[in-house]
C-alpha cells in the first residue's frame, strides 16, 4: 500500500519537473524557439556582439581592416556604410571618410552627412545615373568640379549645407530642392545662369552665406531663404519685372531676407508682383 502511494505521488512530480526543465532549456536553444522568439534571440545576440566590438579591451591587438597610411575610403562602401536596396547611409562614419565612397550602381539615395569629405570630382557620380537624392550636409567640401552633377538627369534633391563652398557648380535641370545654407558663398561665386534653367526648382535655401545680392530666381520657386547674408538692396527686377506692370508671381509663397542690411521699406515697388511681403527689416 505504501509502495502504491509513493508511486502515485513521485511519478507525477518527476514528470512536472522534467517538463519545467525542458521549458527552461527551450528558452536557451534558438532552434526550439518560435519565430518571434528566434528573431529576438538573434537581435539580442547581434547587439551584444556590436557592443563588444565598440568597446575593445585595452590590451587587445588592433585588428582594424585599414592598413597603415590608409583611409576609410579604401574600404568597400557597404562595409563602412549601411546599404539597403537603392539607398546608402554613410553618416558620421568612423574612421573618417574624406571623399565620396564608391557607390553601388543602383543607388538612388545617398546620405553621407557629417563626415570629412573635402572635394567632389566629376568621377564621383559619373556612373550612378540612378541618383535622385544626395545629402552631403555637414562635411568640409570646399570644391566641386563643374561637371560633378552633369550626368545626374534624375537628381531631384541636393543638400550641400554646412560646408565650405565659395562657389557653386552647374546644377542638374530636374532639381526640385537645393540647400546650400551655412557656406561661404559670395555673389561672385554664383553664376548668373546657375538657377535660371532649373524649371522644376521649388525650394531654394541660400541662408547664412555672404551673398551681396539676390541671385536670379526661377519662376517656379515657392520657398526662398536668403536670411543672414550681406544683401544691401533689392530692385524692381529682383522678383518682379520693371517692363511689365501686370506680371504676377503667385507661386512665391515664402521669402526670408531677415538678418540682412537691406531695409525693405526703401524698395516698395520691388514686391508688387508677389502675394506676400518678404520677411525682413522694414525700418
Amino acid at each position: 500500500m505504501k509502495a502504491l502511494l509513493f508511486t502515485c505521488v513521485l511519478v507525477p512530480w518527476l514528470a512536472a519537473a522534467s517538463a519545467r526543465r525542458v521549458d527552461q532549456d527551450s528558452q536557451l536553444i534558438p532552434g526550439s524557439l518560435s519565430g518571434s522568439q528566434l528573431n529576438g534571440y538573434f537581435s539580442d545576440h547581434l547587439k551584444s556582439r556590436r557592443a563588444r566590438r565598440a568597446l575593445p579591451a585595452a590590451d587587445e591587438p588592433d585588428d582594424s581592416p585599414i592598413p597603415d597610411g590608409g583611409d576609410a575610403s579604401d574600404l568597400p562602401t557597404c562595409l563602412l556604410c549601411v546599404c539597403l536596396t537603392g539607398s546608402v547611409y554613410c553618416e558620421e562614419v568612423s574612421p573618417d571618410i574624406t571623399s565620396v565612397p564608391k557607390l553601388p550602381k543602383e543607388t538612388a539615395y545617398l546620405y553621407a552627412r557629417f563626415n570629412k569629405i573635402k572635394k567632389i570630382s566629376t568621377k564621383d557620380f559619373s556612373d550612378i545615373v540612378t541618383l535622385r537624392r544626395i545629402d552631403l550636409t555637414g562635411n568640409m567640401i570646399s570644391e566641386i568640379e563643374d561637371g560633378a552633377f552633369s550626368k545626374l538627369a534624375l537628381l531631384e534633391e541636393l543638400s550641400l549645407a554646412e560646408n565650405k563652398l565659395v562657389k557653386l557648380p552647374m546644377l542638374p535641370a530636374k532639381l526640385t530642392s537645393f540647400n546650400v545654407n551655412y557656406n561661404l558663398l559670395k555673389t561672385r561665386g554664383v553664376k548668373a545662369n546657375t538657377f535660371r534653367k532649373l524649371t522644376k526648382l521649388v525650394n531654394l535655401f541660400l541662408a547664412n552665406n555672404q551673398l551681396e545680392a539676390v541671385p536670379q530666381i526661377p519662376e517656379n520657386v515657392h520657398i526662398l531663404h536668403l536670411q543672414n547674408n550681406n544683401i544691401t538692396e533689392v530692385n524692381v527686377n529682383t522678383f518682379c519685372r520693371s517692363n511689365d506692370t501686370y506680371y504676377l508671381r503667385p507661386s512665391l509663397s515664402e521669402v526670408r531676407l531677415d538678418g540682412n542690411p537691406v531695409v525693405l521699406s526703401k524698395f516698395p515697388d520691388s514686391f508688387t508682383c508677389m502675394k506676400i511681403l518678404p520677411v525682413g527689416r522694414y525700418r
Side-chain angles (χ1 to χ4, degrees):
M1 184 66 181
K2 288 182 180 180
L4 180 60
L5 181 61
F6 177 78
T7 301
C8 293
V9 172
L10 182 61
V11 170
W13 181 84
L14 288 173
S18 177
R20 284 197 299 272
R21 178 61 181 269
V22 169
D23 183 61
Q24 290 171 354
D25 289 345
S26 71
Q27 295 177 22
L28 301 175
I29 303 173
S32 66
L33 301 179
S34 68
S36 60
Q37 290 173 322
L38 189 60
N39 288 338
Y41 174 88
F42 283 116
S43 176
D44 292 342
H45 181 61
L46 286 172
K47 288 177 182 176
S48 176
R49 287 186 59 189
R50 287 170 183 157
R52 289 198 299 271
R53 284 191 306 179
L55 298 169
D59 57 350
E60 286 184 359
D62 181 12
D63 58 355
S64 171
I66 303 176
D68 290 341
D71 185 271
S73 303
D74 298 330
L75 294 175
T77 298
C78 293
L79 181 61
L80 284 170
C81 311
V82 176
C83 296
L84 303 174
T85 304
S87 299
V88 176
Y89 298 85
C90 291
E91 303 191 342
E92 296 184 279
V93 173
S94 180
D96 300 323
I97 58 174
T98 58
S99 60
V100 176
K102 187 174 178 60
L103 302 173
K105 289 205 171 182
E106 72 278 4
T107 304
Y109 305 96
L110 169 64
Y111 303 89
R113 297 180 287 202
F114 308 110
N115 293 294
K116 293 187 178 179
I117 298 171
K118 298 177 181 178
K119 178 181 177 180
I120 301 175
S121 67
T122 53
K123 62 181 176 58
D124 288 335
F125 302 117
S126 58
D127 297 329
I128 318 297
V129 296
T130 52
L131 277 165
R132 293 181 178 274
R133 179 184 301 158
I134 297 174
D135 192 340
L136 294 166
T137 298
N139 279 276
M140 302 172 67
I141 301 167
S142 60
E143 181 183 355
I144 301 176
E145 294 182 0
D146 223 15
F149 305 117
S150 61
K151 295 185 179 180
L152 304 182
L154 301 179
L155 192 67
E156 297 176 347
E157 298 180 36
L158 175 60
S159 179
L160 300 168
E162 299 178 45
N163 279 282
K164 298 182 177 181
L165 291 171
V166 296
K167 66 176 184 177
L168 295 181
M170 295 302 293
L171 299 170
K174 288 191 176 181
L175 275 186
T176 61
S177 180
F178 180 55
N179 188 340
V180 71
N181 288 345
Y182 291 96
N183 275 271
L184 303 172
L185 292 173
K186 295 186 176 182
T187 296
R188 65 175 178 268
V190 182
K191 296 178 181 178
N193 61 346
T194 297
F195 305 119
R196 185 186 300 168
K197 295 182 179 180
L198 304 185
T199 58
K200 297 184 181 296
L201 191 65
V202 175
N203 302 319
L204 179 55
F205 304 106
L206 296 163
N208 295 86
N209 280 280
Q210 300 172 20
L211 297 171
E212 299 91 358
V214 179
Q216 293 187 18
I217 307 301
E219 294 285 329
N220 39 288
V221 169
H222 290 191
I223 297 175
L224 174 63
H225 284 188
L226 284 160
Q227 66 268 32
N228 302 321
N229 278 279
N230 294 326
I231 298 169
T232 55
E233 66 175 355
V234 293
N235 59 56
V236 71
N237 291 311
T238 300
F239 301 108
C240 305
R241 295 176 183 173
S242 58
N243 60 352
D244 186 355
T245 56
Y246 295 99
Y247 172 71
L248 296 176
R249 200 164 188 170
S251 62
L252 201 54
S253 58
E254 181 180 319
V255 178
R256 287 194 58 181
L257 284 164
D258 46 310
N260 284 278
V262 61
V263 179
L264 299 177
S265 58
K266 292 183 178 180
F267 308 95
D269 296 333
S270 299
F271 316 117
T272 54
C273 65
M274 300 163 58
K275 67 178 182 180
I276 51 95
L277 286 174
V279 176
R281 182 177 165 214
Y282 283 87
R283 60 181 181 178

